[in-house]
Amino acid sequence: MTSAENRCSFCGKPAVARLTGPERRLCAAHFIEDAEARVFAAMKDECMVAPGDRVAVGLSGGKDSTALLLLLHPILPTLGATLVAVTVDEGIAGYREETLKAAEALTAELGVEHVIVTFADLFGKDLDRLLVGREAQGCTVCGVLRRRALAEGVKRVGATKLATGHNLDDEAQSVLMNVLRGDLPRLRQDTSTGQPGHFVPRIKPLAVLSEKEIVTYLLLRGYFRDLPECPYAGTALRSEVRTMLAGLEHRHPGTMLRIIRFRDGVRRSARSVEPVKALSTCRRCGELTSGEVCQVCRLLGQGG
Amino acid sequence: MQIILPDRSVRTLSRASAPIEEILLELGINPTTVIVIMNGRIVPEDVTATEGDELRIVRFSHGG
Ligand SMILES: [Zn+2]
Ligand SMILES: [Zn+2]
C-alpha cells in the first residue's frame, strides 16, 4: 500500500493505524475516538463503575496508567463517579524518581487528587533495601508488596474501586503464564468482585487495548515519554511468554483477544462447578491469605 | 531511505521501495512490538516506504 492509499476508513485523512475485527484504517482523531469508545464500551458491558463510586487509579506514572488516567478523567463524572490517583513509591533508585515526577505533573495538569504511599512508610524499608541479597527475586517481591501498598492507599483515600492500567498484552501473558505453571486456581481468580473488608473490586478498563494501541494513543495525544526502565528486569517466564505472544499476535492477529475470551470461558464454566477455595486471615496482619501467614508478612520476615 | 533504530542508531537502506513490515522483519523486529513514524507521522506497517523516506522505530515492549 502506498502512502497515498493509506487513508482513514471514515474521513479519508492519512491513517495512523490499521486495526482488525472489523478491518479499518484510522486517522489520528478517529484512532483516539475508537480507542476511547472501546474502553467505555467495556466499562459499560462489565458494569465497572456505578454512580457514587470513588475510583482510585493506580498511577505508576508509566505509559499504561498515564493512558488510564487520561481516559477516565473525562468519563467518570458523566457516570456519577469521582477519581483519585494513588501512586506507590517503592523506592527504586534511578527509576522511580522520574516516573513519580511524571505522575505528579499529570495529576497537577488534570487537577486530580493524588496520594502517594511509600514502601518505607508501610514496610519500614524501601524496595532496594528489602531486596539486598535477593535482587533476582525483585519483581516477585515487589509485586506482592506493591499489591498490598496499593490496597492500603485505596483504604486511605476511601475509594470504592481500584482501576489498574493492565493492558491486553499483560492480561494475555498472565493467562499463558498461569497455564504454563499449571496454576488453575490463579487462572480462575477473578479480582473484579473484591472482598468486603479487605479488597475493593478491581477494574481493568484498558484490558481491551493492546500495548501498541496504548502507546499509539499516548503518542497521538502528546503524552508519550521515554521513561527509564525498572532495573528489576521482570520474571524470566514473563519475558519468554511476551516474546512468544508477540510472534503469535503478528502471525495470527487476534490471538491475545482469543486468549482472554478463553480465560473468561474457563472462569464462567468453573464457577458453576466448584467453589473457589476459602481464604483465611493472616495471623500477623489480618489480611486475606490462603495459609496462616500472608505472603507480605513472610517476605518481610515476620512470619515466624 | 533512512532508518532510525530504537537505540537511536541510524541505518541507510539502499532500496527503491519496500513495505515497512518487510523492513522490520529483516531487521529482526516484530511489528507488534514497535510503532513506526514515517517522515514524522505514525503509519501502519503495510505502507510501503520509498527512497528518501525517513523511518523512526519506537520500541515500547520491554515490560514493566
Ligand atoms: Zn479519520
Ligand atoms: Zn500478613
Side-chain angles (χ1 to χ4, degrees), chain A residues 1-3 6 14-18 25 63-64 95 169-170 173 211-213 215-216 219-220 224 226-227 229 233 242-243 245-250, chain B residues 6 8 19 21 24-25 29-39 41-50 53 56 58-64:
Chain A
M1 159 152 318
T2 66
S3 284
N6 174 42
V16 297
R18 180 188 153 216
R25 264 170 213 282
K63 57 183 166 41
D64 299 312
Y95 162 71
D169 299 52
D170 299 327
Q173 287 160 15
E211 194 175 15
K212 180 164 177 153
E213 289 170 335
V215 176
T216 303
L219 278 165
L220 293 173
F224 183 76
D226 213 357
L227 289 165
E229 281 178 55
R242 175 185 296 117
T243 305
L245 256 184
L248 287 168
E249 182 65 35
H250 174 236
Chain B
R8 295 195 176 83
E21 181 174 357
L24 291 175
L25 293 175
I29 296 171
N30 181 330
T32 66
T33 65
V34 294
I35 284 166
V36 178
I37 299 176
M38 185 161 90
N39 309 322
R41 185 175 267 150
I42 302 174
V43 287
E45 294 79 33
D46 61 351
V47 167
T48 297
T50 54
D53 283 336
R56 187 156 74 85
V58 179
R59 187 192 291 279
F60 51 83
S61 185
H62 28 227

Side-chain angles (χ1 to χ4, degrees), chain A residues 169-186:
Chain A
D169 299 52
D170 299 327
E171 292 292 279
Q173 287 160 15
S174 294
V175 172
L176 269 194
M177 285 168 71
N178 286 330
V179 169
L180 295 173
R181 289 186 181 126
D183 195 341
L184 183 60
R186 191 76 169 266

